[in-house]
Amino acid sequence: MLCPNLFFLLYCYLLLFFSDVQFPGAIAQRSSVYLEHGAHRLGKRRDAAMEQWRIYGLGQFIHWGVYAIAGGHWNGKYYSGAAEWLRSWNEMPKADYDNLYKQFDAKNFNATAWSKQAKAMGARYMIFTTKHHDGFCLWPSKYTDYTITASPYKKDIVKQVIDAYSKEGIDVYLYFSIIDWNHPGYRTSLKTEAEKKAYEDFKTFTANQLKELLTLYPKTKGFWFDGIWDAAWVQQAGFTDSLEMELRAVNPGLIIGSRFRADEYGRRHFDSNGDLMGDYEQGWERKLPKTIEDVHGNDWDCVMTVPENQWGYHSEWKGHVKSSVELIEMMARSVSMGGNFVLNFGPDGKGAIRPEETKLTKEIGDWAQVNNEAVYNAGYAGLDKQDWGYITKSRKTGNYYLVVFNVPVNKALRLKLLPGMGIKKLYDLENSSISFDTEEIAKDAKGSGYFIYLKETPSQPKVIVLETTDKENKSAVEYQKAKT
Ligand code: JFZ
């Protein structure tokens, strides 16, 4: 018979196996296992840096590297998968890929132009790929020769991005892939002593690069880690735990999501007790939570591609390409459940943002210029979700924002308020002199139901501001407290 400990380990491995890609949410049944390398903290961070993170609303992700030169094509062959994974494609000669940097001469790269465009879209933070899985560094790392310095372009790209975005008031976070196909010590698993030895070099190299980034770029607000799922890395619970603490010591206030390290049972995102590891849940990738229950009261971000699945530049976008209205809806939906929405861009090999993305930044920006109150400094409202759209609540004024996407044929929007709450004011965010007729349609111990009558069906997502007679929505506050 298996002893209980083995059962527990088996349980953890099964969780590990099924959890990450499908649903990195908390385990259903909480346990209370002694952990040396589990979560560092229970509940949310309340310091100024994290409070700032919490109110961003919209972010920009940029995937840029030598893969952008190929754009999914090589020697007449075409790779329809994610462009930045080109090197892993069977038909792609590895030596050709590893020499692409010799062509990296980003003549059209202009960090100021990127940052101004991001600002016009309404982004309040950005995440930049310092190094993707291929290992090519966009900064002059002294720990490898495979960097921007060796390319014809030569100049430090990370520095230019950080300086330009910071100048626009946009906070910069560094994407860093632990997977490194270029480092001789990198392994996916450690089966032999020789592999273990090689991996020790890789661990030192990784730690050095991370400390180097923080030292070279003190304006960095945080890391957005990736490529941490290999068994070799998952088994380094003690090392990654101390490394995280070292990084935080270099840059107090540093923000690190849940995709960095595993506990000693190999659990990632949430440790074996179900507690979030890191400052926010980093598992919502190209998908959104369905309900507020899915996020367990945690901070979280959603990173999203415009086409189905392309992060780096691909010359052909296949499948459904999202419209600005869909993206605005995803942003409103994220904020209504307390998360940030981060939209990805893949500049081409010369550093130009593609025209389709430029068009979207303009459309999202036009909307945000009028309606940003609904998504900046806002979060979960504590009111019932309605079919017409999403409700957010200002973390500063307590005002509610009804972000309307689907107007019913009778143009009557349902709204449910909690007991003790009443409608004080209801007006169009774009033009506060426009108010709306309302009708109380139900009342019981759980609160009042209303119809809000629109005069016409808007052609763009419409925001209605609601001021209530009881601004302090106890339920939202209590909900968050209960979860932290
Ligand atoms: C990773 C990368 O492999 C990809 O190239 C891109 O950089 C993206 C942002 O991150 O891809 C992932 C990582 C994790 C999941 C899915 C795709 N996941 O947990 O579902």
Side-chain angles (χ1 to χ4, degrees):
M1 204 186 98
L2 287 168
C3 73
N5 256 346
L6 277 178
F7 267 121
F8 179 71
L9 275 179
L10 185 68
Y11 172 61
C12 288
Y13 279 114
L14 283 176
L15 279 173
L16 171 71
F17 187 75
F18 289 113
S19 65
D20 197 69
V21 175
Q22 296 304 323
F23 175 62
I27 54 179
Q29 218 161 11
R30 287 187 55 87
S31 20
S32 179
V33 193
Y34 176 74
L35 286 176
E36 266 180 54
H37 305 298
H40 287 167
R41 188 195 57 255
L42 298 185
K44 289 176 167 176
R45 260 174 67 170
R46 286 289 175 205
D47 57 287
M50 197 65 201
E51 292 290 4
Q52 182 56 42
W53 186 95
R54 204 164 276 136
I55 61 171
Y56 288 138
L58 179 63
Q60 179 191 42
F61 208 151
I62 293 192
H63 273 73
W64 199 36
V66 297
Y67 41 79
I69 299 170
H73 300 261
W74 196 253
N75 273 347
K77 290 192 177 115
Y78 167 61
Y79 173 65
S80 65
E84 70 282 2
W85 278 82
L86 182 72
R87 192 182 183 280
S88 70
W89 182 38
N90 283 341
E91 283 84 352
M92 179 73 201
K94 305 292 174 261
D96 284 7
Y97 189 95
D98 295 339
N99 279 299
L100 268 178
Y101 73 95
K102 292 179 184 160
Q103 297 174 39
F104 195 75
D105 192 7
K107 293 249 190 288
N108 298 328
F109 169 60
N110 179 339
T112 306
W114 284 12
S115 64
K116 286 196 184 301
Q117 191 185 56
K119 178 85 179 177
M121 177 176 76
R124 304 219 293 173
Y125 73 120
M126 77 90 75
I127 309 170
F128 187 62
T129 48
T130 58
K131 176 176 99 168
H132 207 269
H133 307 337
D134 61 10
F136 185 70
C137 303
L138 292 182
W139 84 99
S141 175
K142 66 176 182 200
Y143 299 104
T144 170
D145 292 334
Y146 195 46
T147 79
I148 194 67
T149 314
S151 76
Y153 183 76
K154 286 196 168 54
K155 294 180 288 276
D156 183 346
I157 285 175
V158 173
K159 179 175 177 3
Q160 294 180 64
V161 166
I162 296 181
D163 288 348
Y165 277 78
S166 302
K167 213 166 150 195
E168 290 297 328
I170 300 175
D171 289 347
V172 181
Y173 291 73
L174 305 182
Y175 167 106
F176 184 96
S177 166
I178 298 298
I179 292 178
D180 186 323
W181 296 327
N182 188 261
H183 192 275
Y186 165 73
R187 297 288 184 282
T188 52
S189 63
L190 307 175
K191 293 189 192 77
T192 64
E193 283 310 310
E195 282 183 316
K196 282 186 191 148
K197 194 165 173 294
Y199 202 70
E200 286 307 307
D201 288 345
F202 172 69
K203 281 158 65 179
T204 309
F205 164 75
T206 304
N208 282 339
Q209 282 207 322
L210 292 172
K211 283 180 253 176
E212 179 182 50
L213 282 168
L214 290 184
T215 314
L216 285 175
Y217 315 112
K219 284 185 204 141
T220 301
K221 300 288 180 195
F223 279 116
W224 201 95
F225 285 108
D226 192 18
I228 61 136
W229 47 78
D230 291 325
W233 186 256
V234 170
Q235 284 157 15
Q236 310 300 326
F239 166 78
T240 50
D241 192 356
S242 347
L243 178 57
E244 181 181 323
M245 288 192 281
E246 274 182 72
L247 299 177
R248 291 186 189 281
V250 180
N251 181 333
L254 193 73
I255 294 175
I256 299 177
S258 62
R259 194 192 284 172
F260 177 55
R261 63 186 177 93
D263 74 7
E264 55 263 53
Y265 295 101
R267 281 285 295 164
R268 297 185 286 126
H269 296 284
F270 293 87
D271 68 17
S272 300
N273 288 321
D275 297 316
L276 181 68
M277 295 167 83
D279 301 319
Y280 63 94
E281 189 187 353
Q282 203 187 339
W284 299 100
E285 179 153 329
R286 284 188 295 119
K287 65 182 177 219
L288 280 159
K290 284 203 172 53
T291 70
I292 185 73
E293 302 305 329
D294 292 340
V295 301
H296 309 282
N298 290 313
D299 289 310
W300 57 278
D301 74 351
C302 165
V303 292
M304 187 57 70
T305 51
V306 177
E308 268 169 22
N309 178 23
Q310 289 297 343
W311 297 93
Y313 177 80
H314 198 299
S315 69
E316 282 166 47
W317 272 356
K318 282 201 354 178
H320 175 65
V321 174
K322 295 169 194 77
S323 69
S324 53
V325 171
E326 281 172 82
L327 295 166
I328 292 166
E329 175 163 1
M330 288 175 173
M331 166 168 68
R333 187 169 150 192
S334 299
V335 173
S336 77
M337 291 186 276
N340 285 322
F341 184 70
V342 186
L343 184 61
N344 180 69
F345 289 68
D348 69 20
K350 296 258 174 255
I353 306 259
R354 66 196 299 152
E356 299 94 322
E357 290 172 350
T358 293
K359 183 167 175 276
L360 288 172
T361 57
K362 172 95 181 61
E363 291 168 5
I364 296 170
D366 286 349
W367 185 88
Q369 201 155 15
V370 176
N371 299 295
N372 63 50
E373 266 180 56
V375 285
Y376 291 172
N377 313 320
Y380 173 59
L383 301 180
D384 282 1
K385 161 91 183 72
Q386 300 293 340
D387 290 341
W388 45 255
Y390 306 93
I391 309 177
T392 66
K393 184 182 182 190
S394 166
R395 297 180 194 259
K396 298 200 164 155
T397 63
N399 285 349
Y400 295 86
Y401 298 92
L402 318 184
V403 193
V404 181
F405 290 89
N406 313 303
V407 179
V409 284
N410 64 358
K411 299 198 202 65
L413 307 181
R414 281 177 188 278
L415 176 71
K416 176 97 188 286
L417 297 183
L418 298 162
M421 287 171 85
I423 297 174
K424 190 163 97 190
K425 266 188 178 171
L426 199 61
Y427 53 91
D428 194 321
L429 178 59
E430 194 170 0
N431 180 350
S432 59
S433 67
I434 301 178
S435 57
F436 300 91
D437 291 338
T438 60
E439 180 191 354
E440 192 175 86
I441 51 173
K443 190 176 192 144
D444 61 26
K446 289 188 191 144
S448 296
Y450 296 88
F451 267 151
I452 299 169
Y453 293 102
L454 300 190
K455 289 180 189 74
E456 57 198 53
T457 300
S459 58
Q460 282 289 311
K462 162 72 56 199
V463 178
I464 298 171
V465 187
L466 163 69
E467 293 183 23
T468 60
T469 48
D470 172 14
K471 276 196 175 182
E472 206 30 56
N473 176 349
K474 307 250 172 17
S475 143
V477 173
E478 290 310 314
Y479 176 84
Q480 292 301 336
K481 266 196 205 149
K483 297 287 175 187
T484 56

